[in-house]
Amino acid sequence: MNRHLISAADLSRDDALLVLDTADELARISDRPIKKLPTLRGRTVVNLFFEDSTRTRISFEAAAKRLSADVINFSAKGSSVAKGESLKDTALTLEAMGADAVVIRHNASGAPHRLAEWVRGSVINAGDGAHEHPTQALLDAFTIRRRFGRSGGSGTGPPGAGPGRGGALDGLRVTIVGDILHSRVARSNVLLLHTLGAEVLLVAPPTLLPVAVDAWPCSVGYDLDAALPKSDVVMMLRLQQERMNAAFFPSVREYSRRYGLDSARMAQLPERAIVMHPGPMNRGVEIAAGVADSPRSTVVEQVANGVSVRMAVLYLLLGGAEAEQ
């Protein structure tokens, strides 16, 4: 793997499968009374969050602590950033403190890329603007693989020491629905799922599709009802109204009527199909409460799997495999 994880495009098929297989091995720690490994003892991981977050920040913090790393949580609110300190000055401060890895979430697309030019440690993109969120795509792929019985792992030896290569997602049909325009999750998922062999379809109103979507490795549609019977996975995206500065659709009610997933629409899905959502959810808008809480929903699994996947990313980027040899 590369030293940084800034885009899902940074991952080759082998890289992505290595992360997923390592996460499979590390997930077994969750079943132990003591959920810790000494792998990254003495390493320092900084969570550098310029945007509010609950799931992602806590997930990275839990992942680092389960690998015995020291964790520093940095929030822009109440820091020198609020006094006008630049990202570069913040980066140089972290560099002086000896950070081995910096997990960054920023409202500006490209911020993790710039940060990687200023620090010697590994940089992990935890979401930059409307650009990318690669670890979310990895945990989504991990969840899909487990639900469809394609997980690998040898079941022997320490994580990262050569687990059996698990299956990819070849041939699975994934439909991503909703606010594609403002979604960093959508872009990362399209890139990673394509790399792993899945067929991706984006379904959204024309106003909520990016201008350059034709260059993405996926197909595009506008009719959710036509797409559902052919989908193995349906991933619903949140309407990010906080990022909208114009009227992209007539009303929330109209959007929900055409692009919301309710019980009637879920009945159109094939028997084995699953429903995903990266969270946080707008219940009653893009997804009905009954759908979100159904056995076919993976929302809670995605949160749990996020810790295992982020453990795998930290483990591999910070040289956990080498440390155990």
Side-chain angles (χ1 to χ4, degrees):
M1 285 180 62
N2 296 330
R3 187 161 60 94
H4 308 297
L5 179 57
I6 295 171
S7 166
D10 295 340
L11 298 167
S12 67
R13 185 179 172 99
D14 283 345
D15 288 338
L17 288 172
L18 176 62
V19 173
L20 299 183
D21 287 342
T22 304
D24 254 328
E25 297 287 323
L26 289 167
R28 300 177 187 182
I29 295 172
S30 299
D31 299 326
R32 299 180 184 176
I34 299 175
K35 301 174 174 59
K36 266 204 169 188
L37 287 175
T39 312
L40 298 183
R41 183 178 295 154
R43 301 296 186 100
T44 301
V45 177
V46 177
N47 288 329
L48 183 61
F49 278 63
F50 290 84
E51 279 188 335
D52 293 335
S53 169
T54 301
R55 290 167 181 78
T56 304
R57 182 181 59 78
I58 292 175
S59 181
F60 269 110
E61 183 176 356
K65 286 182 174 179
R66 287 187 184 182
L67 292 171
S68 300
D70 296 318
V71 180
I72 300 173
N73 287 315
F74 178 102
S75 174
K77 292 178 182 177
S79 73
S80 296
V81 172
K83 302 174 184 177
E85 183 173 80
S86 69
L87 176 61
K88 184 172 184 179
D89 289 332
T90 301
L92 294 176
T93 300
L94 298 176
E95 182 68 14
M97 292 178 179
D100 296 293
V102 180
V103 179
I104 179 172
R105 169 168 286 195
H106 203 285
N107 55 8
S109 298
H113 178 76
R114 294 308 305 272
L115 182 67
E117 298 172 355
W118 299 324
V119 299
R120 280 175 291 184
S122 296
V123 173
I124 302 169
N125 182 3
D128 60 329
H131 183 226
E132 283 215 43
H133 194 351
T135 59
Q136 179 69 45
L138 282 165
L139 75 88
D140 290 341
F142 182 78
T143 303
I144 293 170
R145 205 169 75 142
R146 283 199 148 192
R147 274 289 184 123
F148 284 89
R150 300 189 180 197
S151 295
S154 62
T156 60
R165 188 55 52 97
L169 306 180
D170 296 304
L172 285 179
R173 296 163 297 184
V174 181
T175 301
I176 303 176
V177 185
D179 187 0
I180 310 295
L181 178 63
H182 302 101
S183 176
R184 49 197 171 207
V185 173
R187 185 189 299 266
S188 288
N189 263 298
V190 167
L191 293 171
L192 183 68
L193 293 173
H194 172 74
T195 297
L196 291 172
E199 300 171 16
V200 184
L201 169 66
L202 302 179
V203 176
T207 52
L208 288 178
L209 288 168
V211 173
V213 72
D214 291 341
W216 293 16
C218 62
S219 52
V220 176
Y222 309 101
D223 186 346
L224 179 57
D225 291 303
L228 292 175
K230 308 171 193 174
S231 303
D232 297 305
V233 179
V234 178
M235 186 181 298
M236 307 305 296
L237 300 177
R238 179 175 67 89
L239 270 182
Q240 299 189 42
Q241 298 187 66
E242 73 277 8
R243 297 181 187 271
M244 298 182 186
N245 54 10
F248 290 89
F249 43 84
S251 68
V252 172
R253 183 176 179 181
E254 174 69 10
Y255 174 87
S256 182
R257 187 180 69 82
R258 293 202 58 190
Y259 294 98
L261 186 63
D262 56 18
S263 298
R265 281 202 165 110
M266 189 168 72
Q268 300 179 42
L269 289 169
E271 186 178 348
R272 291 189 65 212
I274 60 173
V275 176
M276 307 185 76
H277 196 301
M281 295 181 287
N282 289 322
R283 289 175 181 250
V285 180
E286 73 270 2
I287 189 167
V291 175
D293 298 330
S294 75
R296 301 175 76 176
S297 168
T298 66
V299 176
V300 177
E301 288 173 51
Q302 287 169 263
V303 175
N305 290 340
V307 176
S308 300
V309 167
R310 285 163 179 140
M311 285 175 70
V313 169
L314 289 169
Y315 179 93
L316 293 168
L317 290 183
L318 296 184
E322 289 82 352
E324 290 201 358
Q325 290 175 358

